[in-house]
Amino acid sequence: MDERRTNTRKTLLNLLIAVTILAVVVLLLFLAVGFVETTMPNDSYMIEITGLSGLAVNGTATVMIPVPANAEGELVIFETFVRQPAGWRAGIRETQYGKMLAFTTTEGYAQDISIPSGEFETKEEPRLLVPVLATPENVSVDEFSRRSGGTYTTAVFLDGFVPPENAGSISFDLRYQGGGGMKYLIKENIWTATVDTAAPSTASGFVPVPADYYVIPGGLMPL
């Protein structure tokens, strides 16, 4: 009887050891795959401008919006990357506040603008929609971009429209998101900057608007 119990215990012990070894091997394989897996950071800028359709144009009309850039003002997107929406000519333009993304009409009337865009890149760094006209507590753009979030002031630009008698508003829904790459099981931060506001269609020139900025922190990926 004692010999049978001893054999049973040995069998159970050997089985437990085998299961433990198998679990360790599976875990090591999982870690190995995750450790070598690399995901490139992604940049996306979703642009929706509505309320333009139906507006007459006085010669040529222009709409300008902020562009994603780092704290040093280096742009994320360039003219060759900007899509040309129907009825508009798009490009980067230098302004008194810095570079902005400009849309200029190619017809005698305006159309709403909708541009989804995205691309992979190699940099992972804090990004804002610039120009930055003002930050909370008047901190530097570099310091503000390294915070977890907040609301700052940027600008849009309107010129050359002939609004109807029952003038409405032009809505700007802009969303930039960048980062989120992963290397060696470490996921990088995701930086998001958005503008969700409206300006009167009678406006002419630069219009200060609020922009929201927040950071989704990265870190070690859960096993």
Side-chain angles (χ1 to χ4, degrees):
M1 181 67 71
D2 291 340
E3 184 178 353
R4 182 180 298 176
R5 288 180 177 176
T6 300
N7 291 336
T8 301
R9 288 176 181 174
K10 287 182 178 180
T11 301
L12 291 175
L13 180 59
N14 290 335
L15 181 61
L16 180 61
I17 292 173
V19 171
T20 302
I21 292 175
L22 179 61
V24 171
V25 170
V26 171
L27 178 61
L28 290 176
L29 287 174
F30 176 80
L31 289 175
V33 173
F35 193 74
V36 298
E37 181 182 1
T38 299
T39 303
M40 297 293 289
N42 180 70
D43 286 308
S44 65
Y45 191 19
M46 310 299 290
I47 301 169
E48 292 281 349
I49 307 175
T50 57
L52 296 170
S53 294
L55 294 181
V57 173
N58 183 14
T60 300
T62 301
V63 177
M64 291 195 291
I65 60 173
V67 287
N70 62 16
E72 287 71 40
E74 297 173 339
L75 299 187
V76 179
I77 61 175
F78 301 93
E79 291 188 60
T80 55
F81 178 67
V82 177
R83 299 183 184 181
Q84 306 292 322
W88 298 89
R89 183 171 55 254
I92 302 298
R93 183 178 300 184
E94 192 71 48
T95 76
Q96 66 190 70
Y97 297 113
K99 292 180 179 179
M100 299 181 71
L101 178 54
F103 298 97
T104 305
T105 52
T106 58
E107 307 288 346
Y109 59 91
Q111 301 183 53
D112 289 346
I113 298 172
S114 178
I115 304 177
S117 62
E119 65 176 354
F120 291 105
E121 66 151 305
T122 57
K123 292 184 179 180
E124 294 190 84
E125 58 187 356
R127 304 278 175 73
L128 297 171
L129 287 173
V130 301
V132 178
L133 275 58
T135 59
E137 305 166 8
N138 294 320
V139 300
S140 68
V141 175
D142 179 68
E143 181 181 348
F144 178 75
S145 68
R146 298 183 186 281
R147 294 184 174 185
S148 61
T151 300
Y152 65 100
T153 303
T154 184
V156 297
F157 178 91
L158 298 168
D159 184 59
F161 295 105
V162 182
E165 293 182 1
N166 54 341
S169 60
I170 298 173
S171 297
F172 295 84
D173 185 3
L174 316 173
R175 179 182 177 86
Y176 166 75
Q177 190 170 81
M182 186 177 72
K183 190 174 184 180
Y184 305 135
L185 292 176
I186 304 296
K187 189 169 184 179
E188 297 292 335
N189 294 343
I190 297 176
W191 294 278
T192 301
T194 61
V195 172
D196 186 6
T197 190
S201 58
T202 54
S204 181
F206 290 96
V207 180
V209 295
D212 292 320
Y213 170 73
Y214 58 93
V215 180
I216 301 174
L220 183 65
M221 294 293 292
L223 301 179

